[in-house]
Amino acid sequence: MVTQQVVAPPARAAMFLVLTIAPGAEASVRDALTEVSGLVRSVGFRRPEGALNCVIGIGARAWDRLYDLPRPAGLHPFVPLAGAVHSAPATPGDLLVHLRAVDLDLCFELSRLLADRLGAAVRVVDEVHGFRYFDRRDLLGFVDGTENPEGDAATAAVRIGDEDPRFAGGSYVIVQKYVHDLAGWAALTAEQQERAFGRTKLDDVEMPDDVKPADAHVALTVIEDPDGTERQILRDNMPFGSIAGGEFGTYFIGYAADVGVIEQMLRNMFLGTDEAAHDRILDFSTALTGSLYFVPTLDFLDDPAALAEGTDAAADATRSAEASGSSDGNLRIGGLADR
């Protein structure tokens, strides 16, 4: 099983493309997706040290149009949130293309080739060019991604396993484009900014629980099981901005094996909790977009028919075993349960 490279070293440059599929173009898009890995190799080979990486996500409605398979268990349209003060909108998106590299030219070249290959079959509804900002800070001045898991913990946080064996090795991803009120933010004192985040600004240290405000960003985005175990996700947020357009923001992108963890974070932020009306950061950051995708394995992108055929064969074998009384109760769909 070959997975997409969701877990990757922090990039210095990134591009985010959100695409919608034209009516009747499903076959063309399906064929184009089988060629993505080859295009990545072609561009990346020209500069191996550039660490070019591409992740493709597929939205719920697009999945239904592209593949004659049930949706992955957690794949559904992004759920909009309307709080008393702030809202998280759901916006169109059939495909997500997340490109990362040391330099932006690699991302741009690959995006150009992908766009040429897809042609009129898709429409770009959002395009964001992200950049590393000093020591991985966002445009509000705080370090972003401090709490990301690493190593095996990162893989466990993002990779679907036996809970959905047909789609084992995949991930879920949610993206949102936030724009910041930098003038309003700059009017706060450094202490007020730190209380909004729940971390110190200069040395990036989380405040103690007895000091941290209930509406601090950190307080609302830590999700725990009933036994106190923290549920982790992998963030790969990037700053973006336009001087001419006066638009400055953060492109949020969160990967998880259980998309419900990210959704709970967003509910806490926008709808609040018993202790907080909403995330204080939202008073200075407005969500403009929101969409949810499933990230299949490269095996699936390269040859989706193979998974469908393997699933059918495994289901037939299971039914036969049950009829003969020899089933052990483990549904090894496509052999993925044994990997």
Side-chain angles (χ1 to χ4, degrees):
M1 177 174 60
V2 181
T3 62
Q4 295 198 63
Q5 194 178 352
V6 169
V7 180
R12 298 188 63 87
M15 284 183 64
F16 306 93
L17 300 176
V18 175
L19 315 173
T20 55
I21 301 172
E26 291 81 9
S28 179
V29 170
R30 195 163 48 242
D31 290 344
L33 291 180
T34 68
E35 301 175 20
V36 170
S37 58
L39 292 175
V40 175
R41 288 192 297 270
S42 295
V43 177
F45 185 77
R46 293 156 63 181
R47 197 190 307 161
E49 71 278 9
L52 177 63
N53 174 233
C54 174
V55 174
I56 300 291
I58 303 170
R61 295 185 180 92
W63 182 275
D64 296 342
R65 296 168 59 189
L66 292 172
Y67 305 113
D68 188 20
L69 284 169
R71 291 180 188 172
L75 181 59
H76 54 263
F78 180 84
V79 178
L81 301 171
V85 180
H86 302 291
S87 297
T91 50
D94 290 329
L95 300 174
L96 171 70
V97 181
H98 178 198
L99 305 171
R100 293 172 280 191
V102 172
D103 298 303
L104 188 60
D105 59 340
L106 288 167
C107 299
F108 182 82
E109 177 68 0
L110 180 53
S111 68
R112 184 184 66 81
L113 293 176
L114 286 170
D116 286 348
R117 176 60 184 84
L118 288 163
V122 300
R123 182 168 71 93
V124 180
V125 294
D126 195 25
E127 175 181 350
V128 174
H129 296 200
F131 53 86
R132 179 172 174 175
Y133 191 59
F134 295 101
D135 50 339
R136 293 197 57 78
R137 295 180 184 266
D138 59 26
L139 295 183
L140 298 178
F142 284 76
V143 176
D144 200 351
T146 301
E147 297 301 320
N148 270 347
E150 298 179 343
D152 291 342
T155 300
V158 303
R159 188 171 295 176
I160 296 167
D162 293 340
E163 70 274 14
D164 193 3
R166 179 181 298 181
F167 299 107
S171 301
Y172 296 100
V173 59
I174 284 180
V175 295
Q176 291 177 296
K177 180 180 180 179
Y178 288 86
V179 291
H180 303 318
D181 172 13
L182 292 187
W185 182 252
L188 300 181
T189 65
E191 181 181 2
Q192 289 171 325
Q193 292 179 357
E194 289 176 340
R195 289 179 63 79
F197 259 94
R199 307 186 72 87
T200 58
K201 190 171 185 179
L202 179 62
D203 48 14
D204 188 38
V205 175
E206 185 174 340
M207 292 178 174
D209 289 342
D210 60 348
V211 175
K212 187 190 310 165
D215 64 353
H217 181 66
V218 171
L220 292 173
T221 56
V222 172
I223 307 300
E224 295 181 344
D225 285 335
D227 64 0
T229 301
E230 183 175 349
R231 302 294 303 281
Q232 294 184 306
I233 69 170
L234 185 69
R235 301 168 180 83
D236 205 0
N237 306 345
M238 294 293 275
F240 67 89
S242 168
I243 303 301
E247 183 180 75
F248 308 95
T250 297
Y251 200 89
F252 166 77
I253 179 164
Y255 290 99
D258 179 359
V259 72
V261 180
I262 306 176
E263 292 178 313
Q264 184 60 56
M265 290 180 180
L266 296 180
R267 284 193 293 269
N268 290 354
M269 290 173 61
F270 286 88
L271 305 183
T273 63
D274 292 340
E275 295 78 27
H278 60 263
D279 190 328
R280 174 65 169 142
I281 293 297
L282 296 180
D283 293 333
F284 305 92
S285 299
T286 301
L288 300 183
T289 68
S291 48
L292 186 160
Y293 307 88
F294 172 65
V295 177
T297 63
L298 279 176
D299 293 337
F300 180 87
L301 284 181
D302 290 345
D303 189 6
L307 176 60
E309 292 169 359
T311 298
D312 292 342
D316 290 343
T318 300
R319 283 192 291 269
S320 177
E322 289 174 344
S324 65
S326 61
S327 173
D328 63 0
N330 184 13
L331 182 60
R332 294 180 173 84
I333 298 177
L336 295 179
D338 293 328
R339 299 187 182 184

